[in-house]
Amino acid sequence: MINRKPIYVEILMKVPMETLWTYTQTPNLHQQWDLRFSEITYIPKSNEEHPQRFLYKTNIGFGLCIAGEGESVGNKEKDGIMTSTLKFSSSNPISLISEGAGFWRYVPTVDGIRFLTRYDYRTRFGAFGTWIDGFIFRPIMGWATAWSFDCLRLWLEQGISPSVLIRRSISEILITTSLFSIWVYQGLVPKLLVPDSGEMDILRSIEGIADYGRPLLTLMGLGEIVIGSLFLIFSGKKRRRLHKFNIMVLILLGLSAASHPATYVAPFNPITLNIAMIALSITSLLNATELPSAERCLRNSPERGNQT
């Protein structure tokens, strides 16, 4: 079933209303934390009572970008609630979105400001565009909105700029995917697919387990695949604990190879490979400041009133 629900994202911001309003309504500040936009430019108003029109651009790589325009109106409701309504559209022929609308709402609470958005849009390219939107584009847009909201929270609450958070997030992605790839490769290729490539000889040389070499190697391969997969599954504190476990296991595996000294002089041996993998985990732990996460945002409206 294709997901066509409007995108809803909510997060609690422990900052003054004025600060949050400024950082979300000022173009040069907004474009710094919102992954969905590379550039936002306000069009000067001829009358202060008119809606604020703006131009936006999103770089999609390879020198291509999606450009569009929109207008927003901010107003204050009862009990100090602020709302900014939005309409947007794009005439760019490669833009999946043709037009859409939504709002940002700022709800004061005793714990801070409930900052939430709900928006929806029409797509191009007929049934194909609808399919792409439901299965790929809309989930990505929802994730990008939630990640951006948490990026803004960290900027305002902890003073870490979005550019720093983005660099740290990219570094963590590279570390995570590298450790995942190495563990899965080491478990799959030399242990499961090509067990006689050398690792079987190491097990056969260990007294007492030589007769169980093949099933033991299979279990080791599956275990390494599981460890690698956990780097993609875990996040936050769980992933930091996994990095510590990774360091400990790699040290033990490096020492255990002493029973087969020839492995220490082989290409990509336990010394060079394990040290590199340990260094990746140490680098991640040293940069273990809080990173933006879409998981910290509420993705379904708790109140029917927010659906209007």
Side-chain angles (χ1 to χ4, degrees), residues 162-235:
S163 60
V164 172
L165 291 170
I166 290 172
R167 286 199 300 271
R168 289 178 179 174
S169 296
I170 292 174
S171 296
E172 184 63 22
I173 290 172
L174 291 175
I175 291 171
T176 298
T177 54
S178 296
L179 289 172
F180 161 76
S181 301
I182 294 171
W183 273 113
V184 170
Y185 179 88
Q186 291 298 323
L188 182 64
V189 177
K191 294 181 177 64
L192 299 184
L193 299 182
V194 194
D196 295 320
S197 61
E199 300 222 13
M200 183 65 73
D201 293 335
I202 297 176
L203 293 179
R204 286 170 179 162
S205 67
I206 302 175
E207 187 177 352
I209 65 171
D211 295 336
Y212 307 98
R214 183 58 62 88
L216 184 58
L217 194 64
T218 299
L219 289 175
M220 291 172 60
L222 293 174
E224 290 182 356
I225 292 173
V226 169
I227 292 174
S229 300
L230 291 178
F231 278 101
L232 297 185
I233 297 171
F234 287 172
S235 61

Side-chain angles (χ1 to χ4, degrees), residues 95-112:
S95 173
L96 181 63
I97 296 176
S98 59
E99 60 180 4
F103 64 81
W104 284 355
R105 184 161 292 159
Y106 311 69
V107 184
T109 70
V110 293
D111 298 318

Side-chain angles (χ1 to χ4, degrees), residues 236-248:
K237 293 182 179 179
K238 287 185 178 181
R239 185 181 292 167
R240 288 195 285 273
R241 288 195 291 267
L242 181 60
H243 279 297
K244 295 176 182 178
F245 174 77
N246 183 60
I247 293 171
M248 179 184 67

Side-chain angles (χ1 to χ4, degrees), residues 36 135 154 163 181 184 291 303 306:
R36 298 169 298 172
F135 286 104
L154 291 173
S163 60
S181 301
V184 170
L291 296 176
E303 303 171 1
N306 285 337

Side-chain angles (χ1 to χ4, degrees), residues 8-16 20 105-117 146 149-154 156-157 290 296-298:
Y8 180 90
V9 176
E10 177 183 329
I11 195 169
L12 181 68
M13 300 277 191
K14 297 180 180 180
V15 296
L20 183 56
R105 184 161 292 159
Y106 311 69
V107 184
T109 70
V110 293
D111 298 318
I113 308 297
R114 284 178 57 212
F115 180 46
L116 57 97
T117 185
F149 273 31
D150 198 44
C151 180
L152 175 62
R153 179 189 66 83
L154 291 173
L156 298 182
E157 294 183 1
E290 193 173 12
R296 295 193 184 97
C297 293
L298 183 66

